[in-house]
Amino acid sequence: VVVVVVVLLLLLLLVLVLHCSSSHALLPRLLPRRLEAVVLDADGSFLDPQHKVSPANAEAVLAARRAGLQVFLATGRARSGPWVEECLVPLSLDCPGVFTQGLTSFDALNQRVHEDKLAASAVAAVQRACESAEKGNGVTLAAYVQERLLVACGDECDPWLMRYASYGDGDIELAGGEPAADVASSREARGAAPAEAFAIESTDLLGVLGEEAGSANKVLVLSDEESVPALRTALEAALEGEPARVVKALDWTLEVLPARTSKAEGLRRLLEHLQINPRRVMAVGDGENDIEMMRMVGLPVAMGNAMEPLKRHVAYVTASNAEDGVAKAIREHALPRAPANAPRRRDRLRKLLRLGGRGE
C-alpha cells in the first residue's frame, strides 16, 4: 500500500511540474491546491475599459465569497473619489484592501493597517525635474495625501488631469484646499462650461502642499505617452540618492513612490494582519506595478491585455478586461481551489489509500 501511495504521489508531482512548465510562468512552480483569498488589480483588470464593474465580474466576486474566499483589491487608486461608491461599495470591496499603490491598506473593520510617505526632499526633486521638462512638454503634478488628491489649479482645465480625473479617483482638492465640486459650481455660476477636472498651471507642487510636503504618499506625473520615457529618465536622475523610486502606472502616468514600497509590500502587510498565507492567494493584474505581487502569491494570473513582462511571471493568462477576464480567472482557477470546493489533504490521502487497497 505504501509503495502504491508513493508512486501515485510522484506521478501527481510530475503532472504538476509539466503543467506549470507549459504555463506562462518564468520558472515551474507548484500551484496551491487550496486558496484563502483572491486579490484583484483595478484598472485594466477588475474594471473594464470604461472603468466600470461588469455584471460577470460582480457575480464572480459574489460566487467566490459564497465559496469561502476573501476577495479584495490591491490597486494604485486611492480609496476615495466617485469610483468608491460606484464600483467598490456595492460589492463591499472598500475594505479590506490595499490602496494607493500599496502605500496604505485597510482591514475588514475599516481600520488603516499601514501608511508610507515620501520624503519632502524627494517631492522637491520631482518638482525641479518637471519644471525643466515642462518647457518642452506639458506636465501635470499632483500628490496623494491619504485619500486626498492635492493639485495646483488655474481657471482652465489641464488636459492631463482631465484624463486622470475621468477615472473618478481621489478626493480632488485645489490650491488653497478648495474642493473640486465648489469650483465647478462657481464656474457654472459665472456662466462657464462645467469643468470635468481642474488644471495645474505650474509645477509648484511644494507650494500647494505647504506644511504637508512631508505627508504625501505619492506624486503623480502626468503627460503624453511620447514624453513619458524621457520624463522617467529625468526623474530617476533627479531622485538619485533620494529614498524614492519611479513606476509607470499607465502609458501616460508616472508615479513617484517611497523606496522599498510596492503593491506586494502593502499586500504582504495586509495578509500578515489578516493571517493569510501568501501561498494561498490568487492575484490578478495587468501592469508593471503588479510584477512583485505576482512573484509573492501562490497563484499569479495575468490579464489578456497585460504587459508582456508581467506575463513572464504568472502561471496563467486569462481573457482581457474587455472580455471579463477576472470572472474567467475566478471560475477556472479560484473556485475549484476555494474552501467549499477544494479537497483537504487528509481527504486526498484517504482516497489514495483506498485506491492502494483496491490494487492489492
Side-chain angles (χ1 to χ4, degrees):
V1 173
V2 174
V3 173
V4 173
V5 170
V6 170
V7 170
L8 289 173
L9 288 174
L10 289 174
L11 288 173
L12 178 62
L13 179 62
L14 178 61
V15 169
L16 285 172
V17 169
L18 290 174
H19 174 71
C20 292
S21 297
S22 63
S23 75
H24 287 77
L26 187 61
L27 292 173
R29 67 168 82 199
L30 293 178
L31 302 179
R33 286 185 167 275
R34 289 176 58 82
L35 293 174
E36 296 179 29
V38 174
V39 178
L40 306 173
D41 168 55
D43 295 297
S45 301
F46 181 58
L47 303 182
D48 65 20
Q50 288 71 47
H51 316 301
K52 304 296 183 184
V53 180
S54 71
N57 283 352
E59 175 53 36
V61 167
L62 298 177
R65 288 197 177 128
R66 289 194 296 268
L69 290 165
Q70 293 195 50
V71 183
F72 50 89
L73 297 186
T75 174
R77 288 180 179 241
R79 200 190 68 159
S80 59
W83 86 291
V84 174
E85 292 297 325
E86 293 172 6
C87 303
L88 304 190
V89 171
L91 293 170
S92 299
L93 285 171
D94 50 326
C95 66
V98 179
F99 298 91
T100 323
Q101 209 65 271
L103 302 179
T104 192
S105 62
F106 295 85
D107 64 15
L109 299 177
N110 202 27
Q111 299 298 309
R112 197 182 300 273
V113 174
H114 82 282
E115 181 183 7
D116 294 304
K117 299 177 181 179
L118 271 174
S121 58
V123 178
V126 170
Q127 178 165 313
R128 288 194 299 271
C130 290
E131 283 172 344
S132 299
E134 193 182 23
K135 296 174 183 177
N137 305 287
V139 177
T140 295
L141 284 182
Y144 278 96
V145 178
Q146 292 192 345
E147 283 65 64
R148 301 150 58 209
L149 179 60
L150 304 186
V151 301
C153 178
D155 289 333
E156 296 180 0
C157 294
D158 178 277
W160 313 127
L161 190 56
M162 287 179 69
R163 189 175 183 182
Y164 189 83
S166 69
Y167 285 74
D169 181 26
D171 291 330
I172 298 176
E173 291 186 15
L174 311 180
E178 187 177 9
D182 292 345
V183 173
S185 299
S186 66
R187 288 176 60 86
E188 291 170 2
R190 295 197 309 267
E196 296 180 39
F198 303 92
I200 291 178
E201 286 193 334
S202 72
T203 52
D204 185 19
L205 187 58
L206 288 173
V208 174
L209 290 171
E211 294 181 356
E212 294 184 289
S215 299
N217 301 110
K218 70 175 180 179
V219 171
L220 298 180
V221 181
L222 312 177
S223 189
D224 59 273
E225 287 86 341
E226 294 76 17
S227 301
V228 162
L231 273 172
R232 183 170 190 170
T233 300
L235 287 169
E236 289 174 342
L239 289 167
E240 187 173 355
E242 291 287 346
R245 65 193 186 96
V246 183
V247 169
K248 185 169 82 168
L250 299 166
D251 288 342
W252 47 276
T253 303
L254 294 172
E255 296 182 343
V256 181
L257 311 170
R260 296 181 295 280
T261 62
S262 64
K263 277 191 190 179
E265 178 58 22
L267 179 60
R268 183 195 65 77
R269 292 182 182 181
L270 180 59
L271 292 177
E272 183 177 304
H273 181 81
L274 298 176
Q275 299 183 333
I276 296 175
N277 186 339
R279 282 285 303 158
R280 296 196 179 278
V281 173
M282 181 180 87
V284 185
D286 74 307
E288 175 187 319
N289 56 349
D290 294 318
I291 290 177
E292 294 168 81
M293 181 169 70
M294 296 301 167
R295 290 172 174 165
M296 183 181 73
V297 301
L299 183 51
V301 178
M303 297 296 296
N305 53 286
M307 296 179 177
E308 288 304 317
L310 179 72
K311 293 180 180 179
R312 295 197 292 268
H313 296 274
V314 302
Y316 300 104
V317 175
T318 185
S320 73
N321 68 324
E323 304 168 309
D324 301 322
V326 161
K328 184 173 187 288
I330 288 175
R331 287 196 310 269
E332 295 183 357
H333 307 305
L335 289 181
R337 296 174 168 88
N341 301 323
R344 295 184 179 275
R345 183 178 300 177
R346 182 180 300 173
D347 297 334
R348 294 198 304 272
L349 182 58
R350 286 174 178 170
K351 183 177 179 180
L352 289 172
L353 288 173
R354 285 198 300 272
L355 290 173
R358 292 171 187 168
E360 286 189 342

